[in-house]
Amino acid sequence: MNAIISASELVDELAGAHPPVLLDVRWQLSTVKAAGAPPFDGRAEYEAGHLPGAVYVDLDRELASAPGANGRHPLPDMAEFGAAMRRAGVSQGRPVVVYDGGQGWAAARAWWLLSWTGHPNVRVLDGGLTAWEAPLSTEVPTPAEGDFTPAPGAAGLLDADRAAALARSGVLFDARAGERYRGEVEPIDRVGGHIPGAVSAPTTANVAADGRFLPAEELRARFTSLGATEDGAVGVYCGSGVSGAHEVLALAVAGIPAALYVGSWSEWSSDPDRPVAVGPEPQ
């Protein structure tokens, strides 16, 4: 099963006998805003125009729990997540396609959560809303209640200890920008740097200028050059488990399974007892 779908393929599927459920997960990282600049409002963006039939999903409220000791975007409560997905019409036996504004990070977070909790057929619209050329809709649908019940998997999820161990025994990718990995700047978290042993692999290098993923063979070549193998243990982290999900998605496109450290740097760096490496080398 492919992890991504093109806009033209989605048009065909929506016109078919068994169209997928569409989830709109538009979101942007909230950092310090310039004076007077309004915060990004994903729901307002959705209401101004979305793929026909799509249901809005709030990343901060439905795909994560409240920020705290476990990071800025900890795992959501599974009962609440399941209820949100059922309200959106998600059922076990019906395909799901997720999209966002084009960056792909938020859509990948939804893809990862649904996949990790047992949904068998979830894909991300490659290139997001910017790749969609058909008309948009302002009609807010009321889907029939779905039947999806999350069943978290035993694999695919890392905590801080397992991430630290994987950085030494396998490959742990840091999906943040290189300057954050090196500790040169840190705009959000307590301290800059990276988990000792982690390899810098910014997720922005997995896509072309239009936001679409690079071809699978190019992604595979990139990740293997950084030490990943199809049979070896691979993990990913980022700032708070959002852009890292996008890298897990890129690895899936490349045919390389990977686990996600959801707490990521926002959790790791909050504990002053955890070691921090700086500079361009994993150490």
Side-chain angles (χ1 to χ4, degrees):
M1 177 62 63
N2 291 332
I4 58 176
I5 184 173
S6 70
S8 61
E9 290 170 332
L10 180 56
V11 168
D12 290 342
E13 290 199 12
L14 289 172
H18 303 286
V21 173
L22 292 178
L23 303 181
D24 183 312
V25 197
R26 272 178 274 184
W27 170 88
Q28 287 183 7
L29 178 65
S30 296
T31 56
V32 176
K33 302 291 183 181
F40 179 81
D41 188 337
R43 183 173 291 279
E45 294 286 329
Y46 164 82
E47 292 175 351
H50 51 265
L51 270 61
V55 177
Y56 178 70
V57 173
D58 189 313
L59 185 149
D60 290 317
R61 293 176 175 82
E62 296 174 318
L63 304 182
S65 54
N70 293 323
R72 282 192 306 280
H73 290 105
L75 286 174
D77 175 85
M78 285 296 110
E80 294 179 6
F81 170 64
M85 293 299 97
R86 290 189 293 275
R87 285 195 302 271
V90 174
S91 291
Q92 189 76 12
R94 188 176 173 189
V96 177
V97 172
V98 191
Y99 72 92
D100 58 25
Q103 188 180 42
W105 294 4
R109 172 72 176 222
W111 165 84
W112 180 84
L113 265 173
L114 280 166
S115 300
W116 176 65
T117 55
H119 198 286
N121 190 343
V122 189
R123 289 163 293 170
V124 169
L125 175 58
D126 195 16
L129 190 65
T130 58
W132 184 257
E133 297 180 352
L136 299 177
S137 172
T138 56
E139 180 180 350
V140 177
T142 305
E145 183 88 359
D147 64 15
F148 178 70
T149 299
L157 178 68
L158 299 173
D159 60 15
D161 290 340
R162 291 182 63 203
L166 184 58
R168 300 302 185 187
S169 63
V171 178
L172 180 67
F173 287 133
D174 184 316
R176 299 172 301 158
E179 59 269 24
R180 291 185 71 190
Y181 171 88
R182 295 188 295 270
E184 297 166 357
V185 298
E186 181 43 64
I188 307 173
D189 293 312
R190 185 185 67 83
V191 64
H194 58 269
I195 296 174
V199 176
S200 180
T203 198
T204 50
N206 296 325
V207 297
D210 61 3
R212 292 178 175 89
F213 280 106
L214 298 176
E217 60 271 17
E218 292 185 27
L219 290 171
R220 189 173 185 85
R222 181 193 186 212
F223 291 125
T224 55
S225 73
L226 293 172
T229 64
E230 186 177 335
D231 299 325
V234 179
V236 181
Y237 75 96
C238 57
S240 64
V242 179
S243 67
H246 191 262
E247 185 126 298
V248 173
L249 176 58
L251 282 153
V253 172
I256 301 172
L260 178 66
Y261 173 25
V262 174
S264 285
W265 191 247
S266 59
E267 178 186 51
W268 182 276
S269 64
S270 68
D271 185 345
D273 291 332
R274 293 195 184 105
V276 171
V278 295
E281 300 301 325
Q283 299 180 26

